[in-house]
Amino acid sequence: MFDKLKELILQYVEVDPDSITRDSRFIEDLGFNSYDIMCMLGDAETEFDVEIDEEEIMKCKTVGDLLDYFGGQENG
């Protein structure tokens, strides 16, 4: 799942793929703006076949947070 999310991230921002870790923050480290985040999340819903709760997803600040959120969605 991490590799798929990394591919999605790289569609929106130009960063070194090796610099993307679970601790990477979307805005501060990867350079996302709020529009890019919302677009990427829409693509992620399709890619991972999950429904994103907008209120909950706003708590996800890092790549790891998002992976944990999607993992919880898959199991729940």
Side-chain angles (χ1 to χ4, degrees), residues 1-72:
M1 184 181 285
F2 177 72
D3 288 335
K4 284 186 179 182
L5 182 56
K6 199 175 186 178
E7 288 175 24
L8 275 178
I9 289 168
L10 291 170
Q11 291 177 24
Y12 289 92
V13 293
E14 292 184 27
V15 296
D16 178 356
D18 294 331
S19 72
I20 302 172
T21 68
R22 286 186 59 89
D23 294 327
S24 297
R25 297 170 296 174
F26 289 104
I27 295 171
E28 296 88 342
D29 299 326
L30 301 176
F32 272 84
N33 63 41
S34 55
Y35 177 76
D36 288 337
I37 290 173
M38 295 313 291
C39 291
M40 190 224 14
L41 290 173
D43 288 345
E45 274 186 309
T46 303
E47 179 70 32
F48 298 115
D49 193 29
V50 295
E51 189 171 322
I52 292 175
D53 178 289
E54 288 182 31
E55 198 171 297
E56 287 297 311
I57 204 69
M58 294 326 244
K59 297 175 185 173
C60 295
K61 303 295 182 198
T62 68
V63 172
D65 291 343
L66 194 56
L67 287 169
D68 292 343
Y69 177 83
F70 289 150

